[in-house]
Structure formats: structure tokens, C-alpha cells
């Protein structure tokens, strides 16, 4: 990047006095971006996790148990009352924590309404919001307990999708029932390819960062960015995602909305008030050069977002090992040497126990390519080269 481009990317806080930010569970990269832009940064981190944050020396870091709502609310209030925090940015899936949303709204350190993140991220709340507006209608029923699931499935009619609801979404149950029992949302099964719509909202204006083709939309085990969609299909996916943000009253921040393109039109299946997790986050950057952290800081300074343009395709080929014990793995080096391969992530070593689906870490290979055909060829090559031997003996499961 030349000197002129460097100058164009400089950030400037809106006032001569640096705005004071409280970053909740941020990445080291976001902290660096905010500090380099001239913001005064304070970090609130999860005290239950080991400290290896990579924050610049001298960055004030407070620790709190994110599971303790009272302590979390108090920590935010201290940052505002004592340290002068003017804006809170909640990262890493913390925006929809009740203590975070309520305290930030009460103290005026977020432009988002108190329920905005919950309406996006909590499955039952999101479905009720959409169904109540007749946007993206999907038949759904609540099951307060596992015993009520068969009746809910019968009400909707098979096939269905069953989602386990977080404790905060539980509706009242009789005293005789266990308070710790899970509740569920039963929804009509949606048939069609899935796409992830990434947005950045500033002052209630939603800009689409891009659309990702998820597993099955382009390849059975791979994501692709940008999604190779027809113009009409992409427009419909973008429209339904931004309509959800409007309904939730979302005013500022990233959101990630997954849309299924069914025969009856687009339907939202899930959403979150945050940037997508890895490896999708790196996938978008690889294809476009878009830095989510830098653009978020730029939005805080009042500068318009630079809508990214992809100059290549980027794909993530995912793989999941069967349950058992990993005896050996081969082909990792050969995969890493394939043209266009940027990262090989294999989370296990020989001797590790591979847990059941849902608890297992997923491995992946990240690639770039000039065309979808080239990307597909590299994905196929990784599948041929990577070999893992897993013992399925009962004592290894």
C-alpha cells in the first residue's frame, strides 16, 4: 500500500478529546485499531478464560465472570461512572447478554434498543418478530419441556427443525417441573440452499458487506465467498436480512443473518448481532481485503463504510472426524502446499479423543481461487490428500 493510500485509511475520532470506549471481550486486533485511531480504550474480559490476549502494553483490562449478570452490570457501570466510558462495544457474542444490553441502554452507552440484540440472536424471539410482521413467515411452536416435543412436532408437521433455547428464553413452567430443564423451538423444516448475509449498521442504515454461500449451497462441505448467486436471488437475501434488522430496531454494529432460499421465497433461519465467527470472518477478508475491525472503528469516527469488492473467490473446505480416537493423520503438509491454500487448521493430534458431533472442533482448509471451478478443484484435492485413521472401539468413544 502506498503512502497516499495509508493517509486515506487514517482514522480520526469525532472530537479533539479521544472518545472513551469500553470493549467487551474484543479481539486484540480491534483493540489495536481503536487505539491507533486515537480512542481511549478500556477492556472488559472474561475472567474465567486464560489470559493470552495480545493487547498493547498499558491497555487497562478489567476481569469479570460473564456468567454473573450482577457482577457484569456492576463492571460496566464502574467503567461509565468512574472511568468515563462513552460507548460500549460488545464483541464475541456478548451483545445479547441481558446484563450487557440492559446496562448499556440504561447508561446511554449504546445506540441500540435494549431488546435489539436479543431479537436478532434468540431463536424464539426472532421467529416471533418475523412471524408477527408476516416477513419470512415460518410455522413454529414452543415446547416448554422435552415431554412437550412430540405434541409440538405434531402441531407443525414433519419434517421439522428443533432448536434448543437458551435459559433466558424459557417461558414459565409449573413448580413441579425442573427449573433447569431445557425448552425448545420447533419450526417447519426449510428446504433450500443457505446463504449468510453480513451487514454493518450505522445510525440505523444497513450496508451489506457480502453474502456467503454456506455448506450445500455451493459444495456439500465448503463455504464460498462471494456467493455465486443470480442477481434476483442475492437481492432477495439482502432484503430479508435488512428487514429483520429494521424490525429489531438495530442501530449500530455488525450482524450475521442466515437465509434459506426456498421455493416459496427467502426465509431467515438464524441471526446474531455480531460479525460471523471464524473461519467465515477470514474468508471475507481473504477475498476482499476487508478488515472488520478497521471498518468498525471507521464507523465510530463517522466515516462511511468502504463497501468491499472481491477480487477473487475464497473458500473454506470443512471436515469433521468420526467419534473415536485419532490414531494417525497424513496429508496435512501436502494440502498446505497446494496452489491457493492459505491456511490448514487441524485441531487434533494422534492420540486425541474425538468427541461427538456438537462438541467436536471442526477442521478446515482455507483457499483462494480465480474462479469457482478452480476453487472446487482445490477443495476436491484436499479431500483426496487428507487421510485420518480413527479407532471406533467402544473404549475410545
Amino acid at each position: 500500500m502506498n503512502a497516499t493510500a495509508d493517509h486515506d485509511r487514517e482514522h480520526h475520532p469525532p472530537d479533539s478529546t479521544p472518545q472513551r470506549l469500553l470493549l467487551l471481550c474484543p479481539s486484540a486486533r480491534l483493540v489495536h485499531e481503536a487505539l491507533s485511531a486515537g480512542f481511549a480504550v478500556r477492556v472488559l474480559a472474561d475472567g474465567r478464560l486464560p489470559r493470552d490476549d495480545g493487547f498493547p502494553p498499558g491497555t487497562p483490562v478489567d476481569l469479570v465472570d460473564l456468567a454473573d449478570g450482577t457482577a457484569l452490570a456492576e463492571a460496566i457501570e464502574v467503567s461509565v461512572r468512574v472511568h468515563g466510558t462513552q460507548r460500549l462495544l460488545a464483541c464475541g457474542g456478548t451483545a445479547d447478554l441481558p446484563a450487557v444490553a440492559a446496562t448499556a441502554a440504561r447508561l446511554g452507552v449504546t445506540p441500540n434498543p435494549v431488546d435489539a440484540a436479543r431479537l436478532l440472536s434468540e431463536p424464539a424471539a426472532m421467529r416471533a418478530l418475523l412471524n408477527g410482521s408476516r416477513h419470512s413467515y415460518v410455522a413454529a411452536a414452543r415446547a416448554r419441556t422435552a415431554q412437550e416435543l412430540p405434541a409440538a412436532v405434531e402441531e407443525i408437521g414433519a419434517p421439522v427443525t428443533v432448536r434448543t433455547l437458551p435459559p433466558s428464553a424459557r417461558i414459565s413452567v409449573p413448580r413441579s417441573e425442573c427449573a433447569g430443564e431445557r425448552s425448545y423451538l420447533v419450526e417447519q423444516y426449510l428446504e433450500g440452499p443457505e446463504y449468510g448475509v453480513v451487514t454493518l449498521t450505522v445510525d440505523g442504515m444497513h450496508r451489506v458487506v457480502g453474502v456467503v454461500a454456506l455448506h450445500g449451497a455451493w459444495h456439500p462441505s465448503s463455504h464460498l465467498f462471494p456467493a455465486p448467486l443470480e442477481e434476483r436471488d442475492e437481492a432477495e437475501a439482502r432484503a430479508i436480512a435488512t428487514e429483520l434488522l429494521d424490525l429489531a430496531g438495530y442501530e449500530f454494529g455488525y450482524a450475521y443473518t442466515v437465509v434459506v432460499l426456498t421455493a416459496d421465497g427467502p426465509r431467515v433461519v438464524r441471526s446474531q448481532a455480531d460479525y460471523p465467527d471464524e473461519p467465515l470472518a477470514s474468508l471475507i477478508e481473504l477475498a476482499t481485503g476487508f478488515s472488520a475491525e478497521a471498518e468498525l472503528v471507521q464507523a465510530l469516527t463517522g466515516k462511511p463504510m468502504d463497501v468491499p469488492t472481491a477480487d477473487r473467490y475464497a473458500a473454506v473446505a470443512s471436515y469433521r472426524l468420526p467419534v473415536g480416537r485419532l490414531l494417525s493423520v497424513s496429508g496435512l503438509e501436502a494440502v498446505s502446499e497446494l496452489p491457493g491454500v492459505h491456511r490448514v487448521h487441524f485441531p487434533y493430534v494422534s492420540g486425541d479423543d474425538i468427541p461427538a458431533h456438537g462438541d467436536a472442533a471442526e477442521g478446515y482448509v482455507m483457499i483462494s481461487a480465480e474462479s469457482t471451478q478452480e476453487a472446487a478443484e482445490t477443495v476436491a484435492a484436499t479431500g483426496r490428500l487428507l487421510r485420518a485413521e480413527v479407532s471406533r472401539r467402544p473404549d475410545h468413544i
Side-chain angles (χ1 to χ4, degrees), residues 36-76:
S36 66
F39 288 96
V41 172
R42 192 170 197 88
V43 171
L44 188 57
D46 190 350
R48 300 170 300 174
L49 300 179
R51 288 291 305 279
D52 184 21
D53 43 49
F55 300 147
T59 303
V61 179
D62 300 315
L63 302 179
V64 66
D65 183 351
L66 294 185
D68 186 337
T70 300
L72 182 54
E74 289 176 352
I76 295 172

Side-chain angles (χ1 to χ4, degrees), residues 99-125:
V100 174
T103 308
R106 176 171 58 84
L107 297 175
V109 291
T110 175
N112 288 319
V114 64
D115 283 336
R118 182 184 66 84
L119 289 171
L120 294 178
S121 303
E122 199 277 294

Side-chain angles (χ1 to χ4, degrees), residues 18-382:
Q19 188 174 3
R20 297 183 179 277
L21 301 179
L22 176 62
L23 304 182
L24 177 56
C25 298
S27 64
R29 189 172 177 181
L30 179 58
V31 174
H32 280 274
E33 289 286 351
L35 288 171
S36 66
F39 288 96
V41 172
R42 192 170 197 88
V43 171
L44 188 57
D46 190 350
R48 300 170 300 174
L49 300 179
R51 288 291 305 279
D52 184 21
D53 43 49
F55 300 147
T59 303
V61 179
D62 300 315
L63 302 179
V64 66
D65 183 351
L66 294 185
D68 186 337
T70 300
L72 182 54
E74 289 176 352
I76 295 172
E77 185 145 4
V78 166
S79 181
V80 174
R81 306 287 190 200
V82 177
H83 303 294
T85 287
Q86 297 166 290
R87 175 65 70 90
L88 167 68
L89 291 182
C91 312
T94 60
D96 58 342
L97 292 176
V100 174
T103 308
R106 176 171 58 84
L107 297 175
V109 291
T110 175
N112 288 319
V114 64
D115 283 336
R118 182 184 66 84
L119 289 171
L120 294 178
S121 303
E122 199 277 294
M126 184 205 74
R127 183 59 59 212
L129 181 68
L130 287 167
N131 284 358
S133 71
R134 310 302 294 182
H135 290 277
S136 186
Y137 183 87
V138 176
R142 296 279 292 266
R144 298 178 301 174
T145 65
Q147 289 70 32
E148 293 185 0
L149 271 175
V153 171
E154 184 177 358
E155 177 184 341
I156 300 304
V160 300
T161 298
V162 178
R163 305 186 191 282
T164 302
L165 298 177
S168 60
R170 272 186 64 83
I171 51 182
S172 59
V173 296
R175 291 177 179 269
S176 60
E177 295 177 5
C178 176
E181 190 169 0
R182 293 178 174 179
S183 61
Y184 305 88
L185 179 69
V186 179
E187 296 182 316
Q188 168 194 355
Y189 174 74
L190 299 174
E191 185 173 355
E194 287 193 356
Y195 296 90
V197 183
V198 183
T199 53
L200 175 58
T201 299
V202 181
D203 295 329
M205 300 295 293
H206 318 301
R207 303 295 298 274
V208 175
V209 175
V211 181
V212 185
L214 301 179
H215 287 163
W218 171 69
H219 185 278
S221 63
S222 301
H223 306 307
L224 181 72
F225 183 87
L229 276 167
E230 296 292 336
E231 185 175 344
R232 178 179 176 180
D233 288 337
E234 180 169 349
E236 289 184 342
R238 287 168 171 254
I240 196 64
T242 56
E243 285 175 10
L244 172 60
L245 299 178
D246 282 337
L247 290 169
Y250 201 53
E251 288 291 320
F252 184 88
Y254 285 111
Y256 175 60
T257 305
V258 176
V259 176
V260 175
L261 297 184
T262 75
D264 297 321
R267 298 290 186 270
V268 175
V269 291
R270 61 185 179 276
S271 183
Q272 65 185 48
D274 208 343
Y275 204 67
D277 299 327
E278 291 292 353
L280 291 185
S282 292
L283 189 72
I284 296 171
E285 184 170 8
L286 178 60
T288 66
F290 180 84
S291 168
E293 296 84 359
E295 292 298 334
L296 186 62
V297 170
Q298 178 167 293
L300 286 172
T301 69
K303 297 179 68 176
M305 184 185 86
D306 295 328
V307 178
T309 301
D311 58 11
R312 69 184 92 179
Y313 287 96
V316 170
S318 303
Y319 50 87
R320 186 178 293 277
L321 299 178
V323 177
R325 179 165 296 169
L326 179 62
L327 301 180
S328 64
V329 60
S330 62
L332 291 174
E333 184 175 353
V335 168
S336 68
E337 294 174 350
L338 288 172
V341 169
H342 292 259
R343 184 189 307 169
V344 178
H345 174 70
F346 192 84
Y348 302 108
V349 297
S350 297
D352 282 351
D353 289 327
I354 312 300
H357 178 73
D359 297 321
E362 191 173 75
Y364 61 84
V365 178
M366 183 171 294
I367 67 173
S368 66
E370 297 301 317
S371 66
T372 57
Q373 180 179 350
E374 182 182 324
E377 290 171 354
T378 306
V379 168
T382 65

